[in-house]
Amino acid sequence: MLDKKVSELLNDQVNKELYSAYLYLDFSIFYEDVGLDGFANWYKIQAQEERDHALLMMQYLQNNGEKVELKAIAKPDKELKDRLQVLELGLEHERYVTGLIHAIYDAAYNVRDFRSMQFLDWFVKEQGEEEKNAEDMVKKMKLFGDDAKSLYMLNSEMAGRTYSAPSLSL
């Protein structure tokens, strides 16, 4: 059995990952509405990844004899104003999620729950990639977003993203 605090934090994180999927679907809708279907595609795939993260955490909890408790998923509450602001919100959110993952890892570390720490190692690495991707998107939009041809190229780059299932197996 898992430590009670670790179990609770993982259960809470399931909800937070599903919220992340909702948030990124909201971003996708914004980009679709402003005619940037490539960015919309990028965030649809991002939403799939966040859902996958929730499912992995659910499976881990179940594999360890813990009850999964699904909670209501909050509606995204940010007013989406412009292309750059949405990307900056994405970066801010990824940094927030990184902090949540670190808090779960810290709780597991404090009770010497090596199995959970090993499970969370994948998420720590994943969050590093998520933050880097979000930072790169913000930088590119700042550099090229005001030029129509460059924005078209960025949008085409984002359209090329394809879904791939997580590499973590339980």
Side-chain angles (χ1 to χ4, degrees), residues 9 27 34 51 54 62 66 84 93 98 131 143 147 163 166:
L9 288 170
F27 288 7
V34 299
R51 184 208 58 148
Q62 291 173 320
E66 296 295 321
L84 177 60
H93 185 74
T98 297
E131 284 190 36
L143 284 170
D147 176 69
Y163 171 77

Side-chain angles (χ1 to χ4, degrees), residues 15-31:
N15 180 266
K16 302 246 190 304
E17 296 292 337
L18 292 171
Y19 172 80
S20 295
Y22 264 36
L23 180 66
Y24 292 148
L25 287 174
D26 199 32
F27 288 7
S28 176
I29 291 165
F30 170 84
Y31 281 116

Side-chain angles (χ1 to χ4, degrees), residues 27 31 39 43 82-92 134 137-138 141:
F27 288 7
Y31 281 116
F39 282 86
Y43 275 110
D82 63 63
R83 300 180 308 250
L84 177 60
Q85 179 246 8
V86 172
L87 296 176
E88 289 171 334
L89 288 172
L91 175 56
E92 178 185 310
M137 290 174 71
V138 168
M141 186 62 78

Side-chain angles (χ1 to χ4, degrees), residues 30-154:
F30 170 84
Y31 281 116
E32 195 69 48
D33 288 348
V34 299
L36 292 170
D37 59 340
F39 282 86
N41 172 68
W42 200 93
Y43 275 110
K44 279 180 195 165
I45 292 170
Q46 194 64 24
Q48 285 179 289
E49 284 191 4
E50 302 305 337
R51 184 208 58 148
D52 287 346
H53 297 168
L55 293 175
L56 286 166
M57 289 180 184
M58 288 170 50
Q59 189 63 57
Y60 181 76
L61 286 163
Q62 291 173 320
N63 287 355
N64 284 279
E66 296 295 321
K67 180 163 177 48
V68 175
E69 206 177 314
L70 295 178
K71 300 172 186 169
I73 302 167
K75 176 183 176 187
D77 63 352
K78 302 289 185 189
E79 182 182 348
L80 307 181
K81 299 175 187 169
D82 63 63
R83 300 180 308 250
L84 177 60
Q85 179 246 8
V86 172
L87 296 176
E88 289 171 334
L89 288 172
L91 175 56
E92 178 185 310
H93 185 74
E94 288 301 337
R95 289 177 175 158
Y96 167 71
V97 172
T98 297
L100 295 171
I101 298 295
H102 288 178
I104 303 168
Y105 197 99
D106 187 52
Y109 177 82
N110 287 333
V111 295
R112 302 182 54 82
D113 180 354
F114 301 113
R115 186 176 344 142
S116 292
M117 290 165 56
Q118 183 179 28
F119 169 71
L120 291 165
D121 281 341
W122 184 87
F123 289 94
V124 170
K125 181 177 181 276
E126 175 73 6
Q127 279 309 121
E129 293 171 11
E130 300 284 12
E131 284 190 36
K132 174 77 168 98
N133 288 338
E135 287 171 358
D136 288 350
M137 290 174 71
V138 168
K139 285 178 189 174
K140 288 177 182 181
M141 186 62 78
K142 284 181 177 177
L143 284 170
F144 308 117
D146 292 331
D147 176 69
K149 288 180 185 176
S150 296
L151 183 57
Y152 177 81
M153 296 293 288
L154 276 176

